[in-house]
Amino acid sequence: AQAYNWNLGNGQTSASTNESANYAGPGAYIIELIASNQYGCSDTTTYTFNVYQSPTAFFDFGPYKGCAPLTIQFDNLSLLGTNFYWDFGDGTFSNEQEPVHIYSTSGLFSPSLIVTGVGGCTDTLESQSIVQAFPSPIASFTYETHNLAAPEATVNFQNYSQDADIYSWFFGDGSSTTETNPTHTYSENDSFLVTLISGNAHGCYDTSMQWINVDFKYGLYVPNALTPENGPSATRL
């Protein structure tokens, strides 16, 4: 062949050996090439070039912040997508269309979405809203009993909570306190369910509960003064 006649399917023609063209919109474009030689012989070939419309990646989610573990529902609002690839920003990923993700650790995270459409066209969106997962406390405590020989037992509580600076103690006998490491006195033998609620400034809380037994079996309390009864049946001591 010595001569070439291009019809590029977009209204553009050319006699160049090799040609390039721009296709502004999606569609099926039929490209035709006629090649001829010095003898007047020619041959024609055609090729259909498909231009696919690019997808648009878009999503929303909520809540944006909360206590870890933080569960978030992602709403996929993308257009013309067939496949989806989520990067949650915490080292985990998903191919679901609308995933539910749990941020198990505290921190700041920026989720993103890659949308793939027909023909392999892609679009990527990184969220401008940052996920903020606050540290959640871990409530924990131990206790020691003292003075069990007295009519009142003293119990010392040791607070081992983590990531907390707000405490509410409920001693199971109707008493409570907000001290960090309280000491409490019980006036009767019984089992008491002690509850510690540990919180922080982010509004995150955790609860720890333990049954404690108060038993004055290690001693007998003897009063230092007795008053006899009045009347004929009084016994003099």
mmCIF file with all atom_site columns, all heavy atoms in Angstrom, residues 93-111:
data_model
loop_
_atom_site.group_PDB
_atom_site.id
_atom_site.type_symbol
_atom_site.label_atom_id
_atom_site.label_alt_id
_atom_site.label_comp_id
_atom_site.label_asym_id
_atom_site.label_entity_id
_atom_site.label_seq_id
_atom_site.pdbx_PDB_ins_code
_atom_site.Cartn_x
_atom_site.Cartn_y
_atom_site.Cartn_z
_atom_site.occupancy
_atom_site.B_iso_or_equiv
_atom_site.pdbx_formal_charge
_atom_site.auth_seq_id
_atom_site.auth_comp_id
_atom_site.auth_asym_id
_atom_site.auth_atom_id
_atom_site.pdbx_PDB_model_num
ATOM 1   N N   . PHE A 1 93  ? -9.920  -3.917 54.025 1.00 0.00 ? 93  PHE A N   1
ATOM 2   C CA  . PHE A 1 93  ? -10.521 -3.598 52.735 1.00 0.00 ? 93  PHE A CA  1
ATOM 3   C C   . PHE A 1 93  ? -11.789 -4.434 52.537 1.00 0.00 ? 93  PHE A C   1
ATOM 4   O O   . PHE A 1 93  ? -12.030 -5.398 53.255 1.00 0.00 ? 93  PHE A O   1
ATOM 5   C CB  . PHE A 1 93  ? -9.520  -3.895 51.600 1.00 0.00 ? 93  PHE A CB  1
ATOM 6   C CG  . PHE A 1 93  ? -8.153  -3.319 51.842 1.00 0.00 ? 93  PHE A CG  1
ATOM 7   C CD1 . PHE A 1 93  ? -7.187  -4.079 52.483 1.00 0.00 ? 93  PHE A CD1 1
ATOM 8   C CD2 . PHE A 1 93  ? -7.852  -2.033 51.456 1.00 0.00 ? 93  PHE A CD2 1
ATOM 9   C CE1 . PHE A 1 93  ? -5.923  -3.556 52.721 1.00 0.00 ? 93  PHE A CE1 1
ATOM 10  C CE2 . PHE A 1 93  ? -6.597  -1.495 51.691 1.00 0.00 ? 93  PHE A CE2 1
ATOM 11  C CZ  . PHE A 1 93  ? -5.628  -2.259 52.329 1.00 0.00 ? 93  PHE A CZ  1
ATOM 12  N N   . SER A 1 94  ? -12.576 -4.051 51.509 1.00 0.00 ? 94  SER A N   1
ATOM 13  C CA  . SER A 1 94  ? -13.804 -4.785 51.221 1.00 0.00 ? 94  SER A CA  1
ATOM 14  C C   . SER A 1 94  ? -14.180 -4.577 49.759 1.00 0.00 ? 94  SER A C   1
ATOM 15  O O   . SER A 1 94  ? -13.912 -3.511 49.174 1.00 0.00 ? 94  SER A O   1
ATOM 16  C CB  . SER A 1 94  ? -14.950 -4.313 52.125 1.00 0.00 ? 94  SER A CB  1
ATOM 17  O OG  . SER A 1 94  ? -16.184 -4.929 51.746 1.00 0.00 ? 94  SER A OG  1
ATOM 18  N N   . ASN A 1 95  ? -14.827 -5.611 49.172 1.00 0.00 ? 95  ASN A N   1
ATOM 19  C CA  . ASN A 1 95  ? -15.378 -5.520 47.821 1.00 0.00 ? 95  ASN A CA  1
ATOM 20  C C   . ASN A 1 95  ? -16.905 -5.473 47.830 1.00 0.00 ? 95  ASN A C   1
ATOM 21  O O   . ASN A 1 95  ? -17.529 -5.565 46.775 1.00 0.00 ? 95  ASN A O   1
ATOM 22  C CB  . ASN A 1 95  ? -14.918 -6.716 46.989 1.00 0.00 ? 95  ASN A CB  1
ATOM 23  C CG  . ASN A 1 95  ? -13.432 -6.662 46.671 1.00 0.00 ? 95  ASN A CG  1
ATOM 24  O OD1 . ASN A 1 95  ? -12.920 -5.604 46.318 1.00 0.00 ? 95  ASN A OD1 1
ATOM 25  N ND2 . ASN A 1 95  ? -12.754 -7.788 46.800 1.00 0.00 ? 95  ASN A ND2 1
ATOM 26  N N   . GLU A 1 96  ? -17.497 -5.329 49.005 1.00 0.00 ? 96  GLU A N   1
ATOM 27  C CA  . GLU A 1 96  ? -18.951 -5.231 49.086 1.00 0.00 ? 96  GLU A CA  1
ATOM 28  C C   . GLU A 1 96  ? -19.433 -3.885 48.532 1.00 0.00 ? 96  GLU A C   1
ATOM 29  O O   . GLU A 1 96  ? -18.695 -2.901 48.517 1.00 0.00 ? 96  GLU A O   1
ATOM 30  C CB  . GLU A 1 96  ? -19.408 -5.386 50.533 1.00 0.00 ? 96  GLU A CB  1
ATOM 31  C CG  . GLU A 1 96  ? -19.083 -6.742 51.144 1.00 0.00 ? 96  GLU A CG  1
ATOM 32  C CD  . GLU A 1 96  ? -19.568 -6.834 52.579 1.00 0.00 ? 96  GLU A CD  1
ATOM 33  O OE1 . GLU A 1 96  ? -20.571 -6.177 52.895 1.00 0.00 ? 96  GLU A OE1 1
ATOM 34  O OE2 . GLU A 1 96  ? -18.937 -7.548 53.365 1.00 0.00 ? 96  GLU A OE2 1
ATOM 35  N N   . GLN A 1 97  ? -20.679 -3.864 48.109 1.00 0.00 ? 97  GLN A N   1
ATOM 36  C CA  . GLN A 1 97  ? -21.220 -2.617 47.565 1.00 0.00 ? 97  GLN A CA  1
ATOM 37  C C   . GLN A 1 97  ? -21.469 -1.597 48.666 1.00 0.00 ? 97  GLN A C   1
ATOM 38  O O   . GLN A 1 97  ? -21.123 -0.414 48.510 1.00 0.00 ? 97  GLN A O   1
ATOM 39  C CB  . GLN A 1 97  ? -22.509 -2.898 46.796 1.00 0.00 ? 97  GLN A CB  1
ATOM 40  C CG  . GLN A 1 97  ? -23.085 -1.650 46.131 1.00 0.00 ? 97  GLN A CG  1
ATOM 41  C CD  . GLN A 1 97  ? -24.220 -1.974 45.177 1.00 0.00 ? 97  GLN A CD  1
ATOM 42  O OE1 . GLN A 1 97  ? -24.407 -3.115 44.792 1.00 0.00 ? 97  GLN A OE1 1
ATOM 43  N NE2 . GLN A 1 97  ? -24.964 -0.960 44.775 1.00 0.00 ? 97  GLN A NE2 1
ATOM 44  N N   . GLU A 1 98  ? -22.068 -2.019 49.775 1.00 0.00 ? 98  GLU A N   1
ATOM 45  C CA  . GLU A 1 98  ? -22.333 -1.121 50.902 1.00 0.00 ? 98  GLU A CA  1
ATOM 46  C C   . GLU A 1 98  ? -21.933 -1.839 52.194 1.00 0.00 ? 98  GLU A C   1
ATOM 47  O O   . GLU A 1 98  ? -22.783 -2.435 52.868 1.00 0.00 ? 98  GLU A O   1
ATOM 48  C CB  . GLU A 1 98  ? -23.802 -0.701 50.932 1.00 0.00 ? 98  GLU A CB  1
ATOM 49  C CG  . GLU A 1 98  ? -24.195 0.209  49.778 1.00 0.00 ? 98  GLU A CG  1
ATOM 50  C CD  . GLU A 1 98  ? -25.553 0.841  49.988 1.00 0.00 ? 98  GLU A CD  1
ATOM 51  O OE1 . GLU A 1 98  ? -26.466 0.147  50.474 1.00 0.00 ? 98  GLU A OE1 1
ATOM 52  O OE2 . GLU A 1 98  ? -25.707 2.038  49.663 1.00 0.00 ? 98  GLU A OE2 1
ATOM 53  N N   . PRO A 1 99  ? -20.677 -1.793 52.531 1.00 0.00 ? 99  PRO A N   1
ATOM 54  C CA  . PRO A 1 99  ? -20.207 -2.570 53.683 1.00 0.00 ? 99  PRO A CA  1
ATOM 55  C C   . PRO A 1 99  ? -20.540 -1.913 55.015 1.00 0.00 ? 99  PRO A C   1
ATOM 56  O O   . PRO A 1 99  ? -20.775 -0.697 55.099 1.00 0.00 ? 99  PRO A O   1
ATOM 57  C CB  . PRO A 1 99  ? -18.694 -2.616 53.470 1.00 0.00 ? 99  PRO A CB  1
ATOM 58  C CG  . PRO A 1 99  ? -18.402 -1.335 52.743 1.00 0.00 ? 99  PRO A CG  1
ATOM 59  C CD  . PRO A 1 99  ? -19.592 -1.098 51.847 1.00 0.00 ? 99  PRO A CD  1
ATOM 60  N N   . VAL A 1 100 ? -20.556 -2.736 56.050 1.00 0.00 ? 100 VAL A N   1
ATOM 61  C CA  . VAL A 1 100 ? -20.579 -2.283 57.436 1.00 0.00 ? 100 VAL A CA  1
ATOM 62  C C   . VAL A 1 100 ? -19.211 -2.628 58.016 1.00 0.00 ? 100 VAL A C   1
ATOM 63  O O   . VAL A 1 100 ? -18.782 -3.779 57.959 1.00 0.00 ? 100 VAL A O   1
ATOM 64  C CB  . VAL A 1 100 ? -21.695 -2.973 58.244 1.00 0.00 ? 100 VAL A CB  1
ATOM 65  C CG1 . VAL A 1 100 ? -21.606 -2.570 59.713 1.00 0.00 ? 100 VAL A CG1 1
ATOM 66  C CG2 . VAL A 1 100 ? -23.061 -2.619 57.673 1.00 0.00 ? 100 VAL A CG2 1
ATOM 67  N N   . HIS A 1 101 ? -18.534 -1.619 58.545 1.00 0.00 ? 101 HIS A N   1
ATOM 68  C CA  . HIS A 1 101 ? -17.172 -1.836 59.025 1.00 0.00 ? 101 HIS A CA  1
ATOM 69  C C   . HIS A 1 101 ? -17.066 -1.461 60.492 1.00 0.00 ? 101 HIS A C   1
ATOM 70  O O   . HIS A 1 101 ? -17.686 -0.497 60.949 1.00 0.00 ? 101 HIS A O   1
ATOM 71  C CB  . HIS A 1 101 ? -16.176 -1.011 58.219 1.00 0.00 ? 101 HIS A CB  1
ATOM 72  C CG  . HIS A 1 101 ? -14.746 -1.248 58.615 1.00 0.00 ? 101 HIS A CG  1
ATOM 73  N ND1 . HIS A 1 101 ? -14.141 -2.479 58.482 1.00 0.00 ? 101 HIS A ND1 1
ATOM 74  C CD2 . HIS A 1 101 ? -13.819 -0.423 59.174 1.00 0.00 ? 101 HIS A CD2 1
ATOM 75  C CE1 . HIS A 1 101 ? -12.904 -2.392 58.920 1.00 0.00 ? 101 HIS A CE1 1
ATOM 76  N NE2 . HIS A 1 101 ? -12.677 -1.163 59.361 1.00 0.00 ? 101 HIS A NE2 1
ATOM 77  N N   . ILE A 1 102 ? -16.258 -2.226 61.224 1.00 0.00 ? 102 ILE A N   1
ATOM 78  C CA  . ILE A 1 102 ? -16.015 -1.976 62.648 1.00 0.00 ? 102 ILE A CA  1
ATOM 79  C C   . ILE A 1 102 ? -14.571 -1.519 62.816 1.00 0.00 ? 102 ILE A C   1
ATOM 80  O O   . ILE A 1 102 ? -13.634 -2.250 62.474 1.00 0.00 ? 102 ILE A O   1
ATOM 81  C CB  . ILE A 1 102 ? -16.276 -3.234 63.490 1.00 0.00 ? 102 ILE A CB  1
ATOM 82  C CG1 . ILE A 1 102 ? -17.738 -3.669 63.355 1.00 0.00 ? 102 ILE A CG1 1
ATOM 83  C CG2 . ILE A 1 102 ? -15.937 -2.975 64.957 1.00 0.00 ? 102 ILE A CG2 1
ATOM 84  C CD1 . ILE A 1 102 ? -18.059 -4.955 64.080 1.00 0.00 ? 102 ILE A CD1 1
ATOM 85  N N   . TYR A 1 103 ? -14.392 -0.301 63.323 1.00 0.00 ? 103 TYR A N   1
ATOM 86  C CA  . TYR A 1 103 ? -13.068 0.200  63.687 1.00 0.00 ? 103 TYR A CA  1
ATOM 87  C C   . TYR A 1 103 ? -12.801 -0.251 65.121 1.00 0.00 ? 103 TYR A C   1
ATOM 88  O O   . TYR A 1 103 ? -13.353 0.297  66.075 1.00 0.00 ? 103 TYR A O   1
ATOM 89  C CB  . TYR A 1 103 ? -13.010 1.718  63.562 1.00 0.00 ? 103 TYR A CB  1
ATOM 90  C CG  . TYR A 1 103 ? -13.027 2.197  62.123 1.00 0.00 ? 103 TYR A CG  1
ATOM 91  C CD1 . TYR A 1 103 ? -14.231 2.482  61.482 1.00 0.00 ? 103 TYR A CD1 1
ATOM 92  C CD2 . TYR A 1 103 ? -11.846 2.334  61.402 1.00 0.00 ? 103 TYR A CD2 1
ATOM 93  C CE1 . TYR A 1 103 ? -14.251 2.895  60.159 1.00 0.00 ? 103 TYR A CE1 1
ATOM 94  C CE2 . TYR A 1 103 ? -11.854 2.762  60.082 1.00 0.00 ? 103 TYR A CE2 1
ATOM 95  C CZ  . TYR A 1 103 ? -13.061 3.045  59.463 1.00 0.00 ? 103 TYR A CZ  1
ATOM 96  O OH  . TYR A 1 103 ? -13.074 3.455  58.156 1.00 0.00 ? 103 TYR A OH  1
ATOM 97  N N   . SER A 1 104 ? -11.970 -1.275 65.252 1.00 0.00 ? 104 SER A N   1
ATOM 98  C CA  . SER A 1 104 ? -11.779 -1.914 66.548 1.00 0.00 ? 104 SER A CA  1
ATOM 99  C C   . SER A 1 104 ? -10.793 -1.186 67.437 1.00 0.00 ? 104 SER A C   1
ATOM 100 O O   . SER A 1 104 ? -10.782 -1.396 68.655 1.00 0.00 ? 104 SER A O   1
ATOM 101 C CB  . SER A 1 104 ? -11.321 -3.360 66.355 1.00 0.00 ? 104 SER A CB  1
ATOM 102 O OG  . SER A 1 104 ? -10.137 -3.405 65.584 1.00 0.00 ? 104 SER A OG  1
ATOM 103 N N   . THR A 1 105 ? -9.953  -0.330 66.857 1.00 0.00 ? 105 THR A N   1
ATOM 104 C CA  . THR A 1 105 ? -8.968  0.410  67.640 1.00 0.00 ? 105 THR A CA  1
ATOM 105 C C   . THR A 1 105 ? -9.223  1.905  67.504 1.00 0.00 ? 105 THR A C   1
ATOM 106 O O   . THR A 1 105 ? -9.855  2.366  66.545 1.00 0.00 ? 105 THR A O   1
ATOM 107 C CB  . THR A 1 105 ? -7.550  0.083  67.190 1.00 0.00 ? 105 THR A CB  1
ATOM 108 O OG1 . THR A 1 105 ? -7.395  0.433  65.798 1.00 0.00 ? 105 THR A OG1 1
ATOM 109 C CG2 . THR A 1 105 ? -7.246  -1.406 67.364 1.00 0.00 ? 105 THR A CG2 1
ATOM 110 N N   . SER A 1 106 ? -8.725  2.669  68.449 1.00 0.00 ? 106 SER A N   1
ATOM 111 C CA  . SER A 1 106 ? -8.904  4.117  68.413 1.00 0.00 ? 106 SER A CA  1
ATOM 112 C C   . SER A 1 106 ? -7.943  4.747  67.411 1.00 0.00 ? 106 SER A C   1
ATOM 113 O O   . SER A 1 106 ? -6.896  4.199  67.090 1.00 0.00 ? 106 SER A O   1
ATOM 114 C CB  . SER A 1 106 ? -8.670  4.705  69.805 1.00 0.00 ? 106 SER A CB  1
ATOM 115 O OG  . SER A 1 106 ? -7.354  4.432  70.258 1.00 0.00 ? 106 SER A OG  1
ATOM 116 N N   . GLY A 1 107 ? -8.325  5.920  66.900 1.00 0.00 ? 107 GLY A N   1
ATOM 117 C CA  . GLY A 1 107 ? -7.471  6.636  65.961 1.00 0.00 ? 107 GLY A CA  1
ATOM 118 C C   . GLY A 1 107 ? -8.280  7.440  64.968 1.00 0.00 ? 107 GLY A C   1
ATOM 119 O O   . GLY A 1 107 ? -9.514  7.519  65.047 1.00 0.00 ? 107 GLY A O   1
ATOM 120 N N   . LEU A 1 108 ? -7.561  8.069  64.005 1.00 0.00 ? 108 LEU A N   1
ATOM 121 C CA  . LEU A 1 108 ? -8.163  8.829  62.926 1.00 0.00 ? 108 LEU A CA  1
ATOM 122 C C   . LEU A 1 108 ? -7.992  8.037  61.626 1.00 0.00 ? 108 LEU A C   1
ATOM 123 O O   . LEU A 1 108 ? -6.886  7.595  61.312 1.00 0.00 ? 108 LEU A O   1
ATOM 124 C CB  . LEU A 1 108 ? -7.515  10.202 62.794 1.00 0.00 ? 108 LEU A CB  1
ATOM 125 C CG  . LEU A 1 108 ? -7.651  11.135 64.000 1.00 0.00 ? 108 LEU A CG  1
ATOM 126 C CD1 . LEU A 1 108 ? -6.814  12.392 63.789 1.00 0.00 ? 108 LEU A CD1 1
ATOM 127 C CD2 . LEU A 1 108 ? -9.114  11.510 64.218 1.00 0.00 ? 108 LEU A CD2 1
ATOM 128 N N   . PHE A 1 109 ? -9.079  7.909  60.855 1.00 0.00 ? 109 PHE A N   1
ATOM 129 C CA  . PHE A 1 109 ? -9.054  7.073  59.662 1.00 0.00 ? 109 PHE A CA  1
ATOM 130 C C   . PHE A 1 109 ? -9.741  7.809  58.504 1.00 0.00 ? 109 PHE A C   1
ATOM 131 O O   . PHE A 1 109 ? -10.743 8.490  58.704 1.00 0.00 ? 109 PHE A O   1
ATOM 132 C CB  . PHE A 1 109 ? -9.755  5.741  59.907 1.00 0.00 ? 109 PHE A CB  1
ATOM 133 C CG  . PHE A 1 109 ? -9.265  5.023  61.135 1.00 0.00 ? 109 PHE A CG  1
ATOM 134 C CD1 . PHE A 1 109 ? -9.958  5.131  62.335 1.00 0.00 ? 109 PHE A CD1 1
ATOM 135 C CD2 . PHE A 1 109 ? -8.104  4.267  61.099 1.00 0.00 ? 109 PHE A CD2 1
ATOM 136 C CE1 . PHE A 1 109 ? -9.509  4.481  63.472 1.00 0.00 ? 109 PHE A CE1 1
ATOM 137 C CE2 . PHE A 1 109 ? -7.652  3.615  62.230 1.00 0.00 ? 109 PHE A CE2 1
ATOM 138 C CZ  . PHE A 1 109 ? -8.352  3.721  63.414 1.00 0.00 ? 109 PHE A CZ  1
ATOM 139 N N   . SER A 1 110 ? -9.176  7.647  57.300 1.00 0.00 ? 110 SER A N   1
ATOM 140 C CA  . SER A 1 110 ? -9.733  8.287  56.115 1.00 0.00 ? 110 SER A CA  1
ATOM 141 C C   . SER A 1 110 ? -10.124 7.210  55.102 1.00 0.00 ? 110 SER A C   1
ATOM 142 O O   . SER A 1 110 ? -9.271  6.690  54.374 1.00 0.00 ? 110 SER A O   1
ATOM 143 C CB  . SER A 1 110 ? -8.702  9.237  55.496 1.00 0.00 ? 110 SER A CB  1
ATOM 144 O OG  . SER A 1 110 ? -9.245  9.895  54.371 1.00 0.00 ? 110 SER A OG  1
ATOM 145 N N   . PRO A 1 111 ? -11.395 6.836  55.023 1.00 0.00 ? 111 PRO A N   1
ATOM 146 C CA  . PRO A 1 111 ? -11.825 5.801  54.076 1.00 0.00 ? 111 PRO A CA  1
ATOM 147 C C   . PRO A 1 111 ? -11.858 6.315  52.645 1.00 0.00 ? 111 PRO A C   1
ATOM 148 O O   . PRO A 1 111 ? -12.038 7.511  52.396 1.00 0.00 ? 111 PRO A O   1
ATOM 149 C CB  . PRO A 1 111 ? -13.228 5.444  54.569 1.00 0.00 ? 111 PRO A CB  1
ATOM 150 C CG  . PRO A 1 111 ? -13.699 6.681  55.262 1.00 0.00 ? 111 PRO A CG  1
ATOM 151 C CD  . PRO A 1 111 ? -12.497 7.320  55.861 1.00 0.00 ? 111 PRO A CD  1
#
